[in-house]
Coordinates of all heavy atoms in Angstrom, one line a residue:
M1 N -102.2 -98.6 -274.2 CA -101.7 -99.1 -275.5 C -102.0 -100.5 -275.6 O -101.7 -101.3 -274.8 CB -100.1 -98.9 -275.5 CG -99.5 -99.4 -276.8 SD -97.8 -99.0 -277.0 CE -97.1 -100.2 -276.0
I2 N -102.7 -100.9 -276.7 CA -103.1 -102.2 -277.0 C -101.8 -103.0 -277.5 O -101.2 -102.5 -278.4 CB -104.2 -102.3 -278.0 CG1 -105.5 -101.6 -277.5 CG2 -104.5 -103.7 -278.4 CD1 -106.6 -101.6 -278.5
L3 N -101.6 -104.1 -276.9 CA -100.5 -105.0 -277.4 C -101.2 -106.2 -278.1 O -102.3 -106.6 -277.8 CB -99.7 -105.5 -276.2 CG -99.0 -104.4 -275.4 CD1 -98.3 -105.0 -274.2 CD2 -98.1 -103.6 -276.2
K4 N -100.5 -106.7 -279.1 CA -101.0 -107.9 -279.8 C -101.3 -109.0 -278.9 O -102.2 -109.8 -279.3 CB -100.1 -108.3 -280.9 CG -100.0 -107.3 -282.1 CD -99.2 -107.8 -283.2 CE -99.3 -106.8 -284.3 NZ -98.7 -107.2 -285.6
R5 N -100.7 -109.2 -277.8 CA -100.9 -110.3 -277.0 C -102.1 -110.1 -276.0 O -102.5 -111.0 -275.3 CB -99.7 -110.7 -276.2 CG -99.2 -109.7 -275.2 CD -98.0 -110.1 -274.4 NE -97.7 -109.2 -273.4 CZ -96.8 -108.1 -273.6 NH1 -96.3 -107.9 -274.7 NH2 -96.6 -107.3 -272.6
D6 N -102.6 -108.9 -275.9 CA -103.7 -108.6 -275.0 C -105.0 -109.4 -275.5 O -105.4 -109.3 -276.6 CB -104.0 -107.1 -274.9 CG -103.0 -106.3 -274.2 OD1 -102.2 -107.0 -273.4 OD2 -102.9 -105.1 -274.4
P7 N -105.6 -110.1 -274.5 CA -106.9 -110.7 -274.9 C -108.0 -109.7 -275.3 O -108.0 -108.6 -274.7 CB -107.3 -111.5 -273.6 CG -106.1 -111.5 -272.7 CD -105.3 -110.3 -273.2
F8 N -108.8 -110.0 -276.2 CA -109.8 -109.0 -276.6 C -111.2 -109.7 -276.8 O -111.2 -110.9 -277.2 CB -109.4 -108.3 -277.9 CG -109.3 -109.1 -279.1 CD1 -110.4 -109.2 -279.9 CD2 -108.2 -109.7 -279.5 CE1 -110.4 -110.0 -281.1 CE2 -108.1 -110.5 -280.6 CZ -109.2 -110.7 -281.4
L9 N -112.2 -109.0 -276.7 CA -113.6 -109.4 -276.9 C -114.1 -108.5 -278.0 O -114.2 -107.2 -277.8 CB -114.4 -109.3 -275.6 CG -115.9 -109.5 -275.7 CD1 -116.2 -111.0 -276.2 CD2 -116.6 -109.2 -274.4
D10 N -114.6 -109.0 -279.1 CA -115.1 -108.2 -280.2 C -116.6 -108.3 -280.1 O -117.2 -109.4 -280.3 CB -114.6 -108.8 -281.5 CG -114.9 -107.9 -282.7 OD1 -115.9 -107.0 -282.6 OD2 -114.3 -108.0 -283.7
L11 N -117.3 -107.2 -279.9 CA -118.7 -107.2 -279.7 C -119.5 -106.8 -281.0 O -120.7 -106.6 -281.0 CB -119.1 -106.2 -278.6 CG -118.6 -106.6 -277.2 CD1 -118.9 -105.5 -276.2 CD2 -119.2 -107.9 -276.8
H12 N -118.8 -106.7 -282.1 CA -119.4 -106.3 -283.4 C -120.5 -107.4 -283.7 O -120.3 -108.6 -283.5 CB -118.4 -106.3 -284.6 CG -117.6 -105.1 -284.6 ND1 -116.3 -105.1 -284.2 CD2 -117.9 -103.8 -285.0 CE1 -115.8 -103.9 -284.4 NE2 -116.7 -103.1 -284.9
G13 N -121.7 -106.9 -284.0 CA -122.8 -107.8 -284.4 C -123.7 -108.1 -283.2 O -124.7 -108.7 -283.3
E14 N -123.2 -107.7 -282.0 CA -124.0 -108.0 -280.8 C -125.0 -106.9 -280.5 O -124.8 -105.8 -281.0 CB -123.1 -108.2 -279.6 CG -122.1 -109.4 -279.7 CD -122.8 -110.7 -279.7 OE1 -124.0 -110.8 -279.2 OE2 -122.3 -111.7 -280.3
T15 N -125.9 -107.1 -279.6 CA -126.9 -106.1 -279.3 C -126.6 -105.6 -277.8 O -125.9 -106.3 -277.1 CB -128.4 -106.6 -279.3 OG1 -128.5 -107.6 -278.3 CG2 -128.7 -107.1 -280.7
R16 N -127.2 -104.5 -277.5 CA -127.1 -103.9 -276.1 C -127.5 -104.9 -275.1 O -127.0 -105.0 -274.0 CB -127.9 -102.6 -276.1 CG -127.8 -101.9 -274.8 CD -128.6 -100.6 -275.0 NE -129.2 -100.2 -273.7 CZ -128.6 -99.6 -272.7 NH1 -127.3 -99.4 -272.8 NH2 -129.2 -99.2 -271.6
D17 N -128.5 -105.7 -275.4 CA -129.1 -106.7 -274.5 C -128.2 -107.9 -274.2 O -128.2 -108.5 -273.2 CB -130.4 -107.2 -274.9 CG -131.5 -106.0 -275.0 OD1 -131.4 -105.1 -274.2 OD2 -132.4 -106.1 -275.8
T18 N -127.4 -108.3 -275.2 CA -126.6 -109.5 -275.1 C -125.2 -109.2 -274.5 O -124.5 -110.2 -274.1 CB -126.4 -110.2 -276.4 OG1 -125.8 -109.3 -277.4 CG2 -127.8 -110.6 -277.0
I19 N -124.7 -108.0 -274.6 CA -123.3 -107.8 -274.3 C -123.0 -107.8 -272.8 O -121.8 -108.1 -272.4 CB -122.7 -106.4 -274.9 CG1 -123.4 -105.2 -274.2 CG2 -122.8 -106.4 -276.4 CD1 -122.8 -103.9 -274.6
E20 N -124.0 -107.6 -271.9 CA -123.7 -107.6 -270.5 C -123.1 -109.0 -270.1 O -122.1 -109.1 -269.4 CB -124.9 -107.3 -269.7 CG -124.6 -107.1 -268.2 CD -125.6 -106.3 -267.4 OE1 -126.6 -105.9 -268.0 OE2 -125.4 -106.1 -266.2
Y21 N -123.8 -110.0 -270.5 CA -123.3 -111.4 -270.2 C -121.9 -111.6 -270.8 O -121.0 -112.1 -270.1 CB -124.3 -112.5 -270.7 CG -123.7 -113.8 -270.6 CD1 -123.7 -114.5 -269.4 CD2 -123.2 -114.5 -271.7 CE1 -123.1 -115.8 -269.3 CE2 -122.6 -115.7 -271.6 CZ -122.6 -116.4 -270.4 OH -122.0 -117.6 -270.3
L22 N -121.7 -111.2 -272.0 CA -120.4 -111.5 -272.7 C -119.3 -110.7 -272.0 O -118.2 -111.3 -271.8 CB -120.5 -111.0 -274.1 CG -121.5 -111.8 -275.0 CD1 -121.7 -111.2 -276.4 CD2 -121.0 -113.3 -275.2
V23 N -119.5 -109.5 -271.6 CA -118.5 -108.7 -271.0 C -118.1 -109.2 -269.6 O -116.9 -109.4 -269.3 CB -118.9 -107.2 -270.9 CG1 -117.9 -106.4 -270.0 CG2 -118.9 -106.6 -272.3
K24 N -119.1 -109.5 -268.8 CA -118.9 -110.1 -267.5 C -118.2 -111.4 -267.5 O -117.3 -111.7 -266.7 CB -120.2 -110.2 -266.7 CG -120.8 -108.9 -266.3 CD -122.1 -109.0 -265.5 CE -122.6 -107.7 -265.0 NZ -123.8 -107.8 -264.3
D25 N -118.6 -112.3 -268.5 CA -118.0 -113.6 -268.6 C -116.5 -113.4 -269.1 O -115.6 -114.1 -268.6 CB -118.7 -114.4 -269.6 CG -118.4 -115.9 -269.6 OD1 -118.3 -116.4 -268.5 OD2 -118.2 -116.4 -270.7
F26 N -116.2 -112.5 -270.0 CA -114.9 -112.2 -270.4 C -114.0 -111.8 -269.3 O -112.9 -112.2 -269.2 CB -115.0 -111.2 -271.6 CG -113.6 -110.8 -272.2 CD1 -112.9 -111.8 -272.9 CD2 -113.2 -109.5 -272.1 CE1 -111.7 -111.5 -273.4 CE2 -112.0 -109.2 -272.7 CZ -111.2 -110.2 -273.4
I27 N -114.5 -110.9 -268.5 CA -113.7 -110.4 -267.3 C -113.4 -111.5 -266.4 O -112.3 -111.7 -265.9 CB -114.5 -109.2 -266.6 CG1 -114.5 -108.0 -267.5 CG2 -113.9 -109.0 -265.2 CD1 -115.4 -106.9 -267.0
Q28 N -114.4 -112.3 -266.0 CA -114.2 -113.5 -265.1 C -113.2 -114.5 -265.7 O -112.3 -114.9 -264.9 CB -115.5 -114.2 -264.8 CG -116.5 -113.4 -264.0 CD -115.8 -113.0 -262.7 OE1 -115.2 -113.8 -261.9 NE2 -116.0 -111.7 -262.3
D29 N -113.2 -114.8 -266.9 CA -112.3 -115.7 -267.6 C -110.8 -115.1 -267.4 O -109.9 -115.8 -267.1 CB -112.6 -115.9 -269.0 CG -113.8 -116.8 -269.3 OD1 -114.2 -117.4 -268.3 OD2 -114.3 -116.8 -270.4
N30 N -110.7 -113.8 -267.7 CA -109.4 -113.2 -267.6 C -108.9 -113.0 -266.2 O -107.6 -113.0 -266.0 CB -109.4 -111.9 -268.4 CG -109.3 -112.2 -269.9 OD1 -108.2 -112.5 -270.4 ND2 -110.4 -112.1 -270.6
L31 N -109.7 -112.9 -265.3 CA -109.3 -112.9 -263.9 C -108.7 -114.2 -263.5 O -107.7 -114.3 -262.9 CB -110.5 -112.5 -262.9 CG -110.9 -111.1 -262.9 CD1 -112.3 -111.0 -262.2 CD2 -109.9 -110.2 -262.3
K32 N -109.4 -115.3 -263.9 CA -108.9 -116.6 -263.6 C -107.5 -116.9 -264.3 O -106.7 -117.6 -263.7 CB -109.9 -117.7 -264.1 CG -111.2 -117.7 -263.3 CD -112.2 -118.7 -263.9 CE -113.5 -118.6 -263.3 NZ -114.6 -119.3 -263.9
L33 N -107.4 -116.3 -265.5 CA -106.1 -116.5 -266.2 C -105.0 -115.5 -265.8 O -103.9 -115.5 -266.3 CB -106.4 -116.4 -267.7 CG -107.3 -117.4 -268.3 CD1 -107.7 -117.1 -269.8 CD2 -106.5 -118.8 -268.3
K34 N -105.4 -114.6 -264.9 CA -104.5 -113.6 -264.4 C -104.0 -112.6 -265.5 O -102.9 -112.1 -265.4 CB -103.3 -114.2 -263.6 CG -103.8 -115.1 -262.5 CD -103.1 -114.7 -261.2 CE -103.4 -115.7 -260.1 NZ -104.6 -115.4 -259.4
N35 N -104.9 -112.3 -266.4 CA -104.6 -111.3 -267.4 C -105.0 -109.9 -266.9 O -106.2 -109.7 -266.7 CB -105.4 -111.6 -268.7 CG -104.9 -112.9 -269.4 OD1 -103.7 -113.2 -269.4 ND2 -105.8 -113.6 -270.0
K36 N -104.1 -109.1 -266.7 CA -104.4 -107.8 -266.1 C -104.9 -106.8 -267.2 O -105.7 -106.0 -266.9 CB -103.1 -107.2 -265.5 CG -103.3 -105.9 -264.7 CD -102.2 -105.6 -263.8 CE -102.4 -104.3 -263.0 NZ -103.3 -104.4 -261.9
H37 N -104.4 -106.9 -268.4 CA -104.8 -106.0 -269.5 C -105.7 -106.7 -270.5 O -105.3 -107.7 -271.0 CB -103.6 -105.4 -270.2 CG -102.6 -104.7 -269.3 ND1 -102.7 -103.4 -269.1 CD2 -101.6 -105.1 -268.6 CE1 -101.7 -103.0 -268.3 NE2 -101.1 -104.1 -267.9
I38 N -106.9 -106.2 -270.7 CA -107.8 -106.8 -271.7 C -108.3 -105.6 -272.6 O -108.2 -104.4 -272.2 CB -108.9 -107.6 -271.1 CG1 -109.8 -106.7 -270.2 CG2 -108.3 -108.8 -270.3 CD1 -111.0 -107.4 -269.7
V39 N -108.9 -106.0 -273.7 CA -109.5 -105.0 -274.6 C -110.9 -105.4 -275.0 O -111.1 -106.6 -275.3 CB -108.6 -104.9 -275.9 CG1 -109.2 -103.9 -276.9 CG2 -107.2 -104.5 -275.5
I40 N -111.8 -104.5 -275.0 CA -113.1 -104.8 -275.5 C -113.4 -103.9 -276.7 O -113.3 -102.7 -276.6 CB -114.2 -104.5 -274.4 CG1 -113.9 -105.4 -273.1 CG2 -115.6 -104.7 -274.9 CD1 -114.7 -105.1 -271.9
I41 N -113.7 -104.5 -277.8 CA -113.9 -103.8 -279.1 C -115.4 -103.7 -279.2 O -116.2 -104.7 -279.3 CB -113.3 -104.6 -280.2 CG1 -111.8 -104.8 -280.0 CG2 -113.6 -103.9 -281.6 CD1 -111.2 -105.7 -281.0
H42 N -115.9 -102.5 -279.2 CA -117.4 -102.2 -279.3 C -117.7 -101.5 -280.6 O -118.9 -101.4 -280.9 CB -117.8 -101.4 -278.1 CG -116.9 -100.3 -277.7 ND1 -116.6 -99.2 -278.4 CD2 -116.1 -100.2 -276.6 CE1 -115.7 -98.5 -277.8 NE2 -115.4 -99.1 -276.7
G43 N -116.7 -101.0 -281.3 CA -117.0 -100.2 -282.5 C -117.3 -98.8 -282.2 O -117.5 -98.4 -281.1
K44 N -117.3 -98.0 -283.3 CA -117.6 -96.5 -283.1 C -119.1 -96.3 -283.2 O -119.7 -95.9 -282.3 CB -116.8 -95.7 -284.1 CG -115.3 -95.8 -283.9 CD -114.6 -95.1 -285.0 CE -113.1 -95.4 -285.0 NZ -112.4 -94.8 -286.1
G45 N -119.6 -96.5 -284.4 CA -121.1 -96.3 -284.7 C -121.8 -95.2 -283.9 O -121.2 -94.1 -283.8
Q46 N -122.9 -95.5 -283.4 CA -123.7 -94.5 -282.6 C -123.3 -94.4 -281.2 O -123.8 -93.6 -280.4 CB -125.2 -94.9 -282.7 CG -125.8 -94.9 -284.1 CD -125.8 -93.6 -284.8 OE1 -126.1 -92.6 -284.2 NE2 -125.4 -93.5 -286.0
G47 N -122.4 -95.3 -280.7 CA -121.9 -95.3 -279.4 C -122.8 -96.0 -278.4 O -122.6 -95.9 -277.2
V48 N -123.8 -96.7 -278.8 CA -124.7 -97.4 -278.0 C -124.0 -98.5 -277.2 O -124.1 -98.7 -276.0 CB -125.9 -98.0 -278.7 CG1 -126.8 -98.9 -277.9 CG2 -126.7 -96.9 -279.4
L49 N -123.2 -99.4 -277.9 CA -122.5 -100.5 -277.3 C -121.4 -99.9 -276.4 O -121.2 -100.4 -275.3 CB -121.9 -101.4 -278.3 CG -122.9 -102.2 -279.1 CD1 -122.1 -103.2 -280.1 CD2 -123.8 -103.0 -278.3
K50 N -120.7 -98.9 -276.8 CA -119.6 -98.3 -276.0 C -120.2 -97.8 -274.7 O -119.7 -98.1 -273.6 CB -119.0 -97.1 -276.7 CG -117.9 -96.4 -275.9 CD -117.4 -95.1 -276.6 CE -118.4 -94.1 -276.4 NZ -118.0 -92.7 -276.8
K51 N -121.3 -97.1 -274.7 CA -122.0 -96.6 -273.5 C -122.3 -97.7 -272.6 O -122.1 -97.7 -271.4 CB -123.2 -95.8 -273.9 CG -123.9 -95.2 -272.7 CD -125.1 -94.3 -273.1 CE -125.8 -93.8 -271.9 NZ -127.0 -93.0 -272.2
K52 N -122.9 -98.8 -273.1 CA -123.3 -99.9 -272.3 C -122.1 -100.6 -271.7 O -122.1 -101.0 -270.5 CB -124.2 -100.9 -273.1 CG -124.6 -102.1 -272.3 CD -125.6 -101.8 -271.2 CE -126.1 -103.0 -270.5 NZ -127.0 -102.7 -269.4
V53 N -121.0 -100.8 -272.5 CA -119.8 -101.4 -272.0 C -119.2 -100.6 -270.8 O -118.8 -101.1 -269.8 CB -118.7 -101.6 -273.1 CG1 -117.4 -101.9 -272.6 CG2 -119.2 -102.6 -274.1
H54 N -119.2 -99.3 -271.0 CA -118.6 -98.4 -269.9 C -119.5 -98.5 -268.7 O -119.0 -98.4 -267.6 CB -118.5 -97.0 -270.5 CG -117.3 -96.9 -271.4 ND1 -116.8 -95.7 -271.8 CD2 -116.6 -97.8 -272.1 CE1 -115.8 -95.9 -272.7 NE2 -115.7 -97.2 -272.8
E55 N -120.8 -98.6 -268.8 CA -121.7 -98.8 -267.7 C -121.4 -100.0 -266.9 O -121.3 -100.1 -265.7 CB -123.2 -98.8 -268.1 CG -123.7 -97.5 -268.5 CD -125.2 -97.6 -269.1 OE1 -125.8 -98.7 -269.0 OE2 -125.6 -96.7 -269.7
I56 N -121.2 -101.1 -267.6 CA -120.8 -102.4 -267.0 C -119.5 -102.3 -266.3 O -119.3 -102.8 -265.2 CB -120.8 -103.5 -268.1 CG1 -122.2 -103.7 -268.7 CG2 -120.3 -104.8 -267.6 CD1 -122.2 -104.5 -270.0
L57 N -118.5 -101.7 -267.0 CA -117.2 -101.6 -266.4 C -117.1 -100.8 -265.1 O -116.4 -101.1 -264.2 CB -116.2 -101.1 -267.4 CG -115.9 -102.0 -268.6 CD1 -115.0 -101.3 -269.6 CD2 -115.3 -103.3 -268.3
K58 N -117.9 -99.7 -265.1 CA -118.0 -98.8 -263.9 C -118.5 -99.6 -262.7 O -118.1 -99.3 -261.6 CB -118.9 -97.6 -264.2 CG -118.3 -96.5 -265.0 CD -119.3 -95.4 -265.3 CE -118.7 -94.5 -266.3 NZ -119.7 -93.4 -266.7
K59 N -119.4 -100.5 -262.9 CA -120.0 -101.2 -261.8 C -119.2 -102.4 -261.3 O -119.5 -103.0 -260.3 CB -121.4 -101.7 -262.2 CG -122.4 -100.5 -262.4 CD -123.7 -101.0 -262.9 CE -124.7 -99.9 -263.3 NZ -125.9 -100.4 -263.8
D60 N -118.3 -102.9 -262.2 CA -117.6 -104.1 -261.9 C -116.4 -103.9 -260.9 O -115.5 -103.1 -261.2 CB -117.1 -104.8 -263.1 CG -116.6 -106.2 -263.0 OD1 -115.9 -106.5 -262.0 OD2 -117.0 -107.0 -263.8
I61 N -116.5 -104.5 -259.7 CA -115.5 -104.3 -258.7 C -114.1 -104.9 -259.1 O -113.1 -104.5 -258.5 CB -115.9 -104.9 -257.3 CG1 -116.1 -106.4 -257.4 CG2 -117.1 -104.2 -256.8 CD1 -116.3 -107.1 -256.1
N62 N -114.1 -105.7 -260.1 CA -112.8 -106.3 -260.6 C -112.1 -105.4 -261.6 O -110.9 -105.7 -262.0 CB -113.1 -107.7 -261.2 CG -113.6 -108.6 -260.2 OD1 -113.0 -108.9 -259.2 ND2 -114.8 -109.2 -260.5
V63 N -112.7 -104.3 -262.0 CA -112.1 -103.4 -262.9 C -111.3 -102.3 -262.2 O -111.9 -101.5 -261.4 CB -113.1 -102.8 -263.9 CG1 -112.5 -101.7 -264.8 CG2 -113.8 -103.9 -264.7
E64 N -110.0 -102.2 -262.4 CA -109.2 -101.1 -261.8 C -109.5 -99.8 -262.5 O -109.7 -98.8 -261.9 CB -107.8 -101.5 -261.8 CG -106.9 -100.6 -261.1 CD -105.5 -101.2 -261.0 OE1 -105.3 -102.3 -260.6 OE2 -104.5 -100.4 -261.3
T65 N -109.4 -99.9 -263.8 CA -109.5 -98.7 -264.6 C -109.8 -99.1 -266.1 O -109.6 -100.2 -266.5 CB -108.3 -97.7 -264.6 OG1 -108.6 -96.5 -265.2 CG2 -107.1 -98.4 -265.2
F66 N -110.4 -98.1 -266.8 CA -110.6 -98.4 -268.3 C -110.6 -97.0 -269.0 O -110.9 -96.0 -268.4 CB -111.9 -99.1 -268.5 CG -113.2 -98.4 -268.1 CD1 -113.8 -97.6 -269.1 CD2 -113.7 -98.5 -266.9 CE1 -115.0 -96.9 -268.7 CE2 -114.8 -97.8 -266.5 CZ -115.5 -97.0 -267.4
H67 N -110.3 -97.1 -270.3 CA -110.3 -95.9 -271.1 C -110.4 -96.2 -272.6 O -110.0 -97.4 -272.9 CB -109.1 -95.0 -270.8 CG -107.8 -95.7 -271.1 ND1 -107.1 -96.5 -270.2 CD2 -107.0 -95.7 -272.2 CE1 -106.0 -97.0 -270.8 NE2 -106.0 -96.5 -272.0
L68 N -110.8 -95.3 -273.4 CA -110.9 -95.5 -274.8 C -109.4 -95.6 -275.3 O -108.6 -94.8 -274.8 CB -111.6 -94.4 -275.5 CG -113.1 -94.4 -275.4 CD1 -113.7 -93.2 -276.1 CD2 -113.7 -95.7 -276.1
N69 N -109.2 -96.4 -276.3 CA -107.9 -96.4 -276.9 C -107.7 -95.1 -277.8 O -108.6 -94.8 -278.6 CB -107.8 -97.7 -277.8 CG -106.5 -97.7 -278.6 OD1 -106.3 -97.0 -279.5 ND2 -105.6 -98.6 -278.1
G70 N -106.7 -94.4 -277.6 CA -106.4 -93.2 -278.3 C -106.3 -93.3 -279.8 O -106.6 -92.4 -280.5
M71 N -105.8 -94.4 -280.2 CA -105.6 -94.7 -281.7 C -106.9 -95.3 -282.3 O -107.0 -95.3 -283.5 CB -104.4 -95.6 -281.9 CG -103.1 -95.0 -281.4 SD -102.6 -93.5 -282.2 CE -102.1 -94.2 -283.7
N72 N -107.8 -95.9 -281.5 CA -108.9 -96.6 -282.0 C -110.1 -96.3 -281.1 O -110.2 -97.0 -280.1 CB -108.7 -98.0 -282.2 CG -109.9 -98.8 -282.7 OD1 -110.9 -98.2 -283.0 ND2 -109.8 -100.1 -282.9
L73 N -110.9 -95.4 -281.3 CA -112.0 -95.0 -280.4 C -113.1 -96.1 -280.4 O -114.1 -96.0 -279.7 CB -112.6 -93.7 -280.8 CG -111.6 -92.5 -280.7 CD1 -112.3 -91.2 -281.1 CD2 -111.1 -92.4 -279.3
G74 N -113.0 -97.1 -281.2 CA -113.9 -98.2 -281.2 C -113.5 -99.4 -280.2 O -114.1 -100.4 -280.2
A75 N -112.5 -99.1 -279.4 CA -112.0 -100.1 -278.5 C -111.7 -99.5 -277.1 O -111.3 -98.3 -277.0 CB -110.7 -100.7 -279.0
T76 N -112.0 -100.2 -276.1 CA -111.8 -99.8 -274.7 C -110.8 -100.7 -274.1 O -110.9 -101.9 -274.1 CB -113.1 -99.8 -273.9 OG1 -114.0 -98.8 -274.4 CG2 -112.8 -99.5 -272.4
E77 N -109.7 -100.1 -273.5 CA -108.7 -100.8 -272.8 C -109.1 -100.9 -271.3 O -109.5 -99.9 -270.8 CB -107.3 -100.1 -272.9 CG -106.9 -100.0 -274.4 CD -105.6 -99.3 -274.5 OE1 -104.7 -99.5 -273.7 OE2 -105.4 -98.5 -275.4
V78 N -108.9 -102.1 -270.8 CA -109.3 -102.3 -269.4 C -108.2 -102.9 -268.6 O -107.4 -103.8 -269.1 CB -110.5 -103.3 -269.3 CG1 -111.0 -103.6 -267.9 CG2 -111.6 -102.9 -270.3
I79 N -108.0 -102.4 -267.4 CA -107.0 -103.0 -266.5 C -107.8 -103.6 -265.3 O -108.6 -102.9 -264.7 CB -106.0 -101.9 -266.0 CG1 -105.3 -101.3 -267.2 CG2 -105.1 -102.5 -264.9 CD1 -104.2 -100.3 -266.8
L80 N -107.6 -104.9 -265.1 CA -108.3 -105.6 -264.1 C -107.5 -105.6 -262.8 O -106.2 -105.5 -262.8 CB -108.5 -107.1 -264.5 CG -109.3 -107.2 -265.8 CD1 -109.4 -108.7 -266.2 CD2 -110.7 -106.7 -265.6
K81 N -108.2 -105.8 -261.7 CA -107.5 -105.9 -260.4 C -107.2 -107.4 -260.2 O -108.1 -108.2 -259.9 CB -108.5 -105.5 -259.2 CG -108.8 -104.0 -259.3 CD -109.8 -103.7 -258.2 CE -110.3 -102.3 -258.2 NZ -111.4 -102.0 -257.3
I82 N -105.9 -107.7 -260.4 CA -105.5 -109.1 -260.2 C -104.9 -109.2 -258.8 O -104.0 -108.5 -258.4 CB -104.4 -109.4 -261.3 CG1 -105.0 -109.2 -262.7 CG2 -103.9 -110.9 -261.1 CD1 -106.1 -110.2 -263.0
M83 N -105.5 -110.1 -258.0 CA -105.0 -110.4 -256.7 C -103.8 -111.3 -256.7 O -103.8 -112.3 -257.4 CB -106.1 -111.0 -255.8 CG -107.4 -110.2 -255.8 SD -107.2 -108.8 -254.8 CE -107.8 -109.5 -253.2
S84 N -102.8 -110.9 -256.0 CA -101.6 -111.8 -255.9 C -101.8 -112.6 -254.6 O -102.7 -112.4 -253.8 CB -100.3 -111.0 -255.7 OG -100.2 -110.3 -254.5
K85 N -100.9 -113.6 -254.5 CA -101.1 -114.5 -253.3 C -100.8 -113.8 -252.0 O -101.1 -114.2 -250.9 CB -100.2 -115.7 -253.5 CG -98.7 -115.4 -253.5 CD -97.9 -116.6 -253.7 CE -96.4 -116.3 -253.7 NZ -95.6 -117.5 -253.9
F86 N -100.2 -112.5 -252.1 CA -99.9 -111.7 -250.9 C -101.1 -110.8 -250.5 O -101.1 -110.2 -249.5 CB -98.7 -110.9 -251.1 CG -97.5 -111.8 -251.5 CD1 -96.9 -111.8 -252.7 CD2 -96.9 -112.7 -250.5 CE1 -95.9 -112.6 -253.0 CE2 -95.9 -113.5 -250.8 CZ -95.3 -113.5 -252.1
D87 N -102.0 -110.6 -251.5 CA -103.2 -109.8 -251.2 C -104.2 -110.5 -250.4 O -104.4 -111.7 -250.6 CB -103.9 -109.3 -252.5 CG -103.0 -108.4 -253.3 OD1 -102.1 -107.7 -252.7 OD2 -103.1 -108.3 -254.5
K88 N -104.9 -109.8 -249.4 CA -105.9 -110.4 -248.6 C -107.1 -109.5 -248.6 O -107.1 -108.4 -248.6 CB -105.4 -110.8 -247.2 CG -104.4 -111.9 -247.3 CD -104.1 -112.3 -245.9 CE -103.1 -113.5 -245.9 NZ -102.8 -114.0 -244.7

């Protein structure tokens, strides 16, 4: 469930070639800020951006899980692996 306070990255207007850097940078920023829940908006369209976003998320070791938002198929909800001071 997307909450209004969840940080989001809107990829509308971007190309498949540019989003890899944007998504990885967004994840790194949110790891530093200890934001566990983030949202990536890729739009519905032909599904090209969605497919590329999901490929990136599958490979990222900092991503715990991700799924399409049930109410908005143009957005993917992501849960990051946030390390606590007790994790080693």
Side-chain angles (χ1 to χ4, degrees):
M1 176 171 82
I2 296 176
L3 301 175
K4 287 188 178 189
R5 68 177 184 269
D6 288 340
F8 67 91
L9 173 64
D10 190 342
L11 297 174
H12 282 103
E14 298 295 336
T15 66
R16 182 175 147 78
D17 296 330
T18 62
I19 66 171
E20 187 161 2
Y21 170 78
L22 295 171
V23 170
K24 288 180 177 182
D25 194 46
F26 182 63
I27 289 171
Q28 289 304 311
D29 287 347
N30 281 284
L31 286 168
K32 290 175 189 171
L33 295 170
K34 304 233 185 275
N35 292 325
K36 188 167 181 72
H37 301 268
I38 62 172
V39 178
I40 300 174
I41 301 168
H42 41 68
K44 296 177 190 173
Q46 300 295 318
V48 174
L49 293 182
K50 177 186 78 171
K51 183 178 177 184
K52 181 65 175 178
V53 166
H54 287 193
E55 287 174 11
I56 295 165
L57 295 174
K58 282 179 190 174
K59 295 177 185 175
D60 195 314
I61 62 170
N62 297 303
V63 173
E64 187 172 312
T65 187
F66 65 91
H67 61 274
L68 285 175
N69 177 286
M71 301 295 286
N72 178 2
L73 299 178
T76 295
E77 298 178 42
V78 183
I79 299 183
L80 300 176
K81 295 177 185 173
I82 302 295
M83 302 288 269
S84 73
K85 63 181 180 179
F86 303 108
D87 294 334
K88 291 188 179 184

